[in-house]
Amino acid sequence: MSLHFVEFELNGCQIDGMVEARRTLLDFLRCDVGCTGPHAGCEHGVCGACTVLVEGQAVRSCLMLAVQANGKTVETVEGLSGGPKELHPIQQLFREEFALQCGFCTPGFLMTLVALDRSEPRPNAAEMREALSGHLCRCTGYQGVLRVIDRLTEDRK
Amino acid sequence: MADASLSVVGAPLRHDSAHLHVAGQARYIDDEPETPDLLHLAFGTSTHARARIVAMDLDAVRAAPGVVAVYTAADVPGANDVSPVAGDDRLLADGEVVWLGQPLFLVAATSRRAARQAARLGRIDYDAQEPILTVEQARAAQSLIEPTQRMARGDAVAALAAAPHRLSGQLAMGGQDHFYLEGQIALARPLEDGQVHVLSSTQHPSEVQHLVAHMLGRSSADVTVEVRRMGGAFGGKESQAALYAAAAALVVHHTGRPAKFRADRDDDMVQTGKRHDFVVDYEVGFDAEGRIAGLCLRLASRCGATVDLSPAINDRAMFHADNAYFLGDVEIVSERLKTNMVSATAFRGFGGPQGMLAIERVMDAVAGHLGRDPLAVRVANLYGPGRDVTPYGMVVADNIAPDLIARLRSDARYDERQAAVARFNAESAILKKGLALTPVKFGISFTTTHLNQAGALLHVYADGSIQINHGGTEMGQGLYTKVAQVVAQAFGVGLDQVRITATRTDKVPNTSATAASSGADLNGMAALDAAETIRARLADFCARTFGCEIDAVVFAGGEVQAGGERMPWATLCRRAHMARISLSATGFYATPDLHYDRAAHQGQPFYYFAYGAALAEVVIDTLTGEHRVLAADILHDCGRSLNPAIDKGQIEGGFLQGQGWLTSEELVWDAAGRLLTHAPSTYKIPTANDRPDHLHVTLWDGANHRPTIHRSKAVGEPPFMLANAVFSALGAAIAATCPEAGWPMLDAPATPERILAALARQRDGVRA
């Protein structure tokens, strides 16, 4: 099996490795780099738990090959903050609004929300909710996530 | 003693791991660092639902790249069994297969991909037999997992014959996949002298421990099972986790290397059990008010190929076929059909939802027949004075359902909105709305009495920090937080003083599954018991040291007051340690007052009931069969809530999960017994857009009449059945197209196809 050299910027650090062409970005991040924030939920690109940002765009890392990230910038949930004690404002809102229960889907929701929050023009609450319907949560009734959206969009008014 | 005004208990405190979850630092089993010698596992599985295995040629599997070992049933050193009760679930098939997808052999390889690819290379010769798949086939063959059960009171047949009105009908309801976001996973590691440590995403560490030990032919003391958290479970990791844990332990046993089994999502959905689907036949007699005079209910469920927990699940369906209604002369017959499918298993509600949906359909059908408001029929049938004994002989002691329904009816403006819906429907040809208000009464306790016990282990360290461990498992429901609140309150300290640690069988033994909504009830009481033991020792120490009465020692606000002395909590802990006071204790709890005669189906299987009610408003498109849930108003009883924010999360999440069961989540098997809906691409759980725009949850304000932990009530399962209101509202919307045809024959899940079919039948005037 031939291996390919891949290097990209992950959460501000340059990383590299040798990967099979078919290795997904998710497996590369989790197994080779040890970056376990993106979670393997369905591995079909449906549940959204593995969502990361590539060049600022939210992508399903289970559907993207590691070699496709070559030369790009990749952000995962670990890169949003300096850790549990210095949370990004959206992470803080998630915590405050009980937007999680088991937490397995949470990193994916966060990455999509961060991408939406950074995008111009900024989407309104309804557009954010529509975008988040691409993420599955089995524990909550999505009420906390919707409160996060409300607070995010309120802040802008 | 502890100051009750210091309210850690009852405060809306955040989940103990929330800060870790949002930072991506909450560790799940698959996040554990992998060592280079780690083996990855996959099953080779059967392609027939029912067959004798003639031969297995696994040469190609063994020769595949990366494969280290391949195991079959012959390699199991002890019991080839991963079942919770009956001993009939094989780890690896032995001579026969009884469902399609059943594990035949186990591949251990250097990567997950290598294991999964090799697992497809087995050449199996089968002597295939005709599988039993449908209710009709199972009935014809009298294929049962246990004898048909009967719960009865009075003479239902005679009461039916004498009733002024009679109706009969049928309702089919589908099963449900748990779709926990974290799939099944186990990571086993070798310890010295043949011992094994297993990280298992399980609701039932003790059962995994016992099964792994028996499978290896070792004692329970040689196996330690640990789980810090699960990424969701919902009953799907009560008995189903054992398969993967046992597979990993088997590989450790043979290779001496650590082994991880993370099931692929499709494999997980094929290989693990789901909620039971049911077919219900009813015959009901009633008066002009809709009050039921006699009822015959036949509940039939497909239990799959093995027993699993089906007896208790189907019992719970019978227990909940009354819901909040008094059924005087009643006969409930429950058939537990054995079919060549993956064994159906526990899922939030555990048979309760199916029993309750059956009686709610009876209420709707009666109302449709009489042309009365369904809520009026429901209210006429509620338990009340002189009508307060369940079909299984238990008195409904705190019957708050009538008051709770009345309050929701008023607060959510049921009558006004029902009138508005009628006006809308009169003017709208294509879109039709429906509104329904349904109650929930759910029995709390394991109906298998001995399971109602729990243990805890509490350490207070000399620096004042506290570590609590108990037998319950954390699956996102906030159990760890609630138990930590109980402990903090007992010592009058803040929650930040309490560290709650991973559930481990070497800390608290012989535990029950975290199931039956019992987690906080049982483990909270066990933790309190341990805390009270240590608190009594400290109070005694203070009384002796400072010359005051034991009762005058107060633990509050992070301080301890003893007579004229006042000191920080940590100072007391240090002084107690220096004085050689034991600061470690176990705690235990066994739910009192439970008894049940299963042969007669009579007794008191529950400690108490949890109640709730929901009003749902829906709109359907009569051309496409599509629908939207527009609004849901919920009033739910958590007793005196331990944590209202966590409880509201359970209520909203349970409701939406129930809505999914009844609307979009459809399991489809083909004629060979192959599950066709084994991924989220074909199996649709609710998303943020399926949630009603208006979802309003209020907690009923009232203490549990039983002395539960701080008078709270269990909240895990009961809210699931609030979604029955959605199903009734959909029925009402369909009925509105042709009210004179009675209540529509709508089966669950109410997919667009089923709604269209029900609309067609309604137009043709087929009566329910």
Side-chain angles (χ1 to χ4, degrees):
Chain A
M1 207 70 62
S2 70
L3 297 177
H4 300 261
F5 181 73
V6 59
E7 64 178 334
F8 56 83
E9 186 190 310
L10 176 65
N11 299 326
C13 300
Q14 205 65 25
I15 62 151
D16 58 55
M18 299 296 291
V19 296
E20 291 180 20
R22 65 188 175 189
R23 193 152 182 80
T24 64
L25 179 59
L26 175 66
D27 284 347
F28 180 70
L29 288 173
R30 288 185 57 82
C31 305
D32 299 356
V33 181
C35 174
T36 56
H39 292 148
C42 72
E43 297 176 271
H44 288 74
V46 179
C47 80
C50 67
T51 302
V52 301
L53 304 188
V54 177
E55 297 291 309
Q57 296 285 315
V59 302
R60 307 277 150 121
S61 63
C62 73
L63 293 185
M64 182 169 177
L65 301 173
V67 291
Q68 291 176 294
N70 193 42
K72 299 197 160 68
T73 59
V74 177
E75 289 171 85
T76 69
V77 67
E78 288 96 334
L80 293 183
S81 65
K85 292 185 174 164
E86 316 165 33
L87 298 176
H88 181 282
I90 295 181
Q91 290 174 310
Q92 190 63 36
L93 286 177
F94 242 71
R95 179 168 173 263
E96 285 173 12
E97 294 295 345
F98 293 81
L100 59 90
Q101 286 179 26
C102 87
F104 201 82
C105 66
T106 305
F109 274 93
L110 285 168
M111 298 317 288
T112 293
L113 267 179
V114 166
L116 290 169
D117 190 52
R118 287 180 191 163
S119 61
E120 293 289 346
R122 286 171 162 179
N124 61 29
E127 290 162 341
M128 284 202 177
R129 175 174 164 158
E130 177 70 25
L132 284 186
S133 68
H135 286 264
L136 298 178
C137 169
R138 190 54 151 169
C139 297
T140 75
Y142 300 98
Q143 69 284 354
V145 180
L146 296 180
R147 284 196 298 266
V148 169
I149 290 176
D150 286 345
R151 285 183 62 183
L152 267 179
T153 46
E154 264 168 29
D155 288 350
R156 289 194 199 123
K157 284 172 189 164
Chain B
M1 305 295 279
D3 183 355
S5 67
L6 181 83
S7 53
V8 178
V9 163
L13 299 169
R14 289 184 193 106
H15 192 279
D16 67 293
S17 295
H19 62 298
L20 300 174
H21 286 305
V22 298
Q25 293 189 11
R27 195 180 275 190
Y28 302 86
I29 292 170
D30 197 40
D31 301 337
E32 292 290 320
E34 296 184 355
T35 53
D37 58 344
L38 179 69
L39 294 172
H40 298 263
L41 313 184
F43 286 126
T45 57
S46 80
T47 52
H48 286 270
R50 187 183 181 196
R52 196 171 59 82
I53 301 171
V54 178
M56 290 205 290
D57 175 359
L58 304 180
D59 288 349
V61 185
R62 291 193 173 90
V67 170
V68 171
V70 180
Y71 303 108
T72 66
D75 299 305
V76 177
N80 181 8
D81 173 37
V82 290
S83 70
V85 180
D88 58 348
D89 284 302
R90 303 282 82 86
L91 167 56
L92 297 169
D94 192 2
E96 61 163 4
V97 292
V98 289
W99 53 278
L100 198 157
Q102 185 180 348
L104 301 173
F105 60 91
L106 174 63
V107 183
T110 51
S111 75
R112 186 163 173 263
R113 173 180 285 272
R116 294 192 63 219
Q117 285 184 330
R120 292 164 188 250
L121 303 177
R123 292 173 54 147
I124 318 297
D125 286 338
Y126 299 94
D127 174 13
Q129 297 162 275
E130 194 62 32
I132 292 173
L133 296 171
T134 66
V135 169
E136 293 71 27
Q137 288 167 343
R139 270 186 186 146
Q142 273 303 290
S143 173
L144 305 171
I145 60 148
E146 68 168 344
T148 296
Q149 302 290 305
R150 181 175 178 273
M151 179 187 285
R153 171 169 57 195
D155 188 341
V157 174
L160 268 166
H165 298 275
R166 286 172 65 166
L167 262 182
S168 61
Q170 188 180 75
L171 168 65
M173 58 193 99
Q176 186 177 27
D177 190 272
H178 303 83
F179 210 85
Y180 25 66
L181 264 284
E182 178 209 38
Q184 300 278 352
I185 185 168
L187 171 58
R189 296 164 171 147
L191 303 176
E192 66 178 22
D193 202 17
Q195 298 174 80
V196 181
H197 176 265
V198 186
L199 287 171
S200 170
S201 184
T202 176
Q203 294 170 248
H204 203 342
S206 283
E207 188 169 276
V208 170
Q209 175 200 23
H210 300 154
L211 286 168
V212 165
H214 288 148
M215 187 272 300
L216 294 178
R218 301 193 68 99
S219 71
S220 292
D222 290 334
V223 178
T224 300
V225 176
E226 174 177 353
V227 53
R228 173 59 185 84
R229 64 174 58 82
M230 287 166 273
F234 315 110
K237 295 173 181 174
E238 182 170 354
S239 63
Q240 305 298 293
L243 174 69
Y244 303 95
L250 179 67
V251 172
V252 167
H253 169 84
H254 283 294
T255 65
R257 291 168 65 169
K260 178 158 80 174
F261 201 141
R262 174 165 74 81
D264 169 79
R265 176 65 59 178
D266 294 71
D267 295 343
D268 185 320
M269 290 182 78
V270 169
Q271 288 165 6
T272 63
K274 294 142 212 335
R275 186 185 295 285
H276 293 65
D277 53 34
F278 269 61
V279 175
V280 178
D281 292 282
Y282 63 85
E283 195 172 0
V284 59
F286 48 98
D287 66 15
E289 299 293 299
R291 187 174 283 207
I292 291 175
L295 175 67
C296 290
L297 263 185
R298 181 166 73 154
L299 311 175
S301 76
R302 291 193 294 177
C303 299
T306 62
V307 174
D308 191 70
L309 302 168
S310 289
I313 291 165
N314 283 273
D315 283 359
R316 191 169 272 271
M318 297 169 81
F319 288 130
H320 288 80
D322 63 337
N323 192 12
Y325 311 113
F326 177 73
L327 305 173
D329 290 284
V330 59
E331 179 182 54
I332 303 164
V333 173
S334 168
E335 295 173 292
R336 294 101 196 261
L337 305 171
K338 184 174 182 173
T339 52
N340 292 111
M341 305 156 81
V342 63
S343 203
T345 193
F347 195 145
R348 200 178 201 166
F350 205 74
Q354 295 94 323
M356 283 167 59
L357 197 69
I359 193 67
E360 293 306 337
R361 166 53 58 86
V362 171
M363 293 294 154
D364 283 333
V366 167
H369 181 84
L370 295 172
R372 294 200 76 204
D373 175 22
L375 184 54
V377 171
R378 289 188 163 90
V379 168
N381 281 290
L382 291 174
Y383 282 106
R387 298 159 41 89
D388 61 352
V389 180
T390 67
Y392 46 92
M394 180 171 165
V395 174
V396 181
D398 68 335
N399 182 34
I400 61 172
D403 291 343
L404 195 149
I405 290 169
R407 198 177 125 200
L408 182 64
R409 178 179 199 148
S410 160
D411 288 357
R413 301 179 294 110
Y414 174 85
D415 298 276
E416 193 182 316
R417 286 167 64 184
Q418 196 66 279
V421 163
R423 284 196 301 276
F424 176 90
N425 287 339
E427 291 163 11
S428 173
I430 306 297
L431 300 180
K432 295 288 181 186
K433 286 186 177 178
L435 186 75
L437 194 162
T438 60
V440 170
K441 167 182 134 286
F442 194 78
I444 302 299
S445 290
F446 287 100
T447 58
T448 304
T449 302
H450 81 268
L451 298 176
N452 295 289
Q453 58 174 311
L457 176 63
L458 180 62
H459 302 318
V460 176
Y461 294 94
D463 67 353
S465 63
I466 298 165
Q467 208 178 67
I468 177 68
N469 193 280
H470 55 78
T473 58
E474 177 66 38
M475 58 197 96
Q477 84 279 41
L479 173 64
Y480 278 20
T481 307
K482 285 183 172 179
V483 174
Q485 286 176 271
V486 168
V487 171
Q489 175 118 336
F491 293 117
V493 300
L495 201 56
D496 57 354
Q497 286 285 105
V498 182
R499 168 68 69 179
I500 196 151
T501 59
T503 309
R504 290 178 61 112
T505 55
D506 58 356
K507 286 205 169 184
V508 178
N510 309 320
T511 55
S512 295
T514 306
S517 306
S518 69
D521 277 14
L522 297 178
N523 296 288
M525 284 299 250
L528 182 62
D529 181 44
E532 286 180 338
T533 298
I534 294 176
R535 197 176 64 189
R537 289 180 199 150
L538 288 170
D540 177 66
F541 167 66
C542 287
R544 284 187 284 112
T545 308
F546 305 118
C548 67
E549 295 295 315
I550 287 178
D551 289 348
V553 180
V554 175
F555 298 81
E559 292 185 332
V560 182
Q561 293 175 52
E565 293 286 331
R566 186 178 174 133
M567 74 197 84
W569 158 255
T571 303
L572 173 67
C573 293
R574 180 75 63 191
R575 289 186 67 158
H577 172 62
M578 297 305 287
R580 297 187 292 174
I581 306 295
S582 167
L583 295 176
S584 177
T586 59
F588 188 76
Y589 178 72
T591 314
D593 298 336
L594 300 177
H595 53 88
Y596 191 62
D597 174 358
R598 186 166 186 254
H601 287 299
Q602 290 291 309
Q604 180 154 304
F606 305 119
Y607 193 38
Y608 63 90
F609 296 103
Y611 296 86
L615 184 160
E617 184 171 345
V618 304
V619 61
I620 61 170
D621 182 328
T622 57
L623 295 181
T624 65
E626 292 171 297
H627 78 273
R628 296 282 307 169
V629 181
L630 299 171
D633 292 87
I634 290 167
L635 181 56
H636 197 82
D637 162 36
C638 307
R640 194 169 286 149
S641 172
L642 291 172
N643 185 321
I646 283 176
D647 284 351
K648 279 190 172 182
Q650 287 295 302
I651 294 163
E652 289 168 329
F655 172 81
L656 198 64
Q657 202 172 63
Q659 181 183 320
W661 172 51
L662 292 171
T663 58
S664 65
E665 296 181 37
E666 185 173 31
L667 293 164
V668 181
W669 279 268
D670 71 9
R674 182 180 293 104
L675 180 67
L676 300 178
T677 49
H678 49 73
S681 47
T682 47
Y683 183 79
K684 306 305 280 184
I685 73 168
T687 71
N689 263 348
D690 299 309
R691 179 185 189 275
D693 280 333
H694 171 94
L695 176 54
H696 188 70
V697 175
T698 309
L699 301 186
W700 175 257
D701 185 21
N704 195 337
H705 76 293
R706 291 283 203 173
T708 51
I709 184 72
H710 294 289
R711 298 277 176 179
S712 64
K713 284 192 181 182
V715 72
E717 293 164 294
F720 183 90
M721 288 145 279
L722 295 167
N724 290 350
V726 171
F727 194 64
S728 283
L730 288 167
I734 297 166
T737 62
C738 185
E740 56 281 11
W743 201 262
M745 289 171 60
L746 175 68
D747 289 335
T751 56
E753 294 89 337
R754 288 209 179 83
I755 288 177
L756 276 182
L759 283 164
R761 283 192 293 268
Q762 195 76 2
R763 271 196 303 275
D764 297 342
V766 179
R767 299 193 68 101

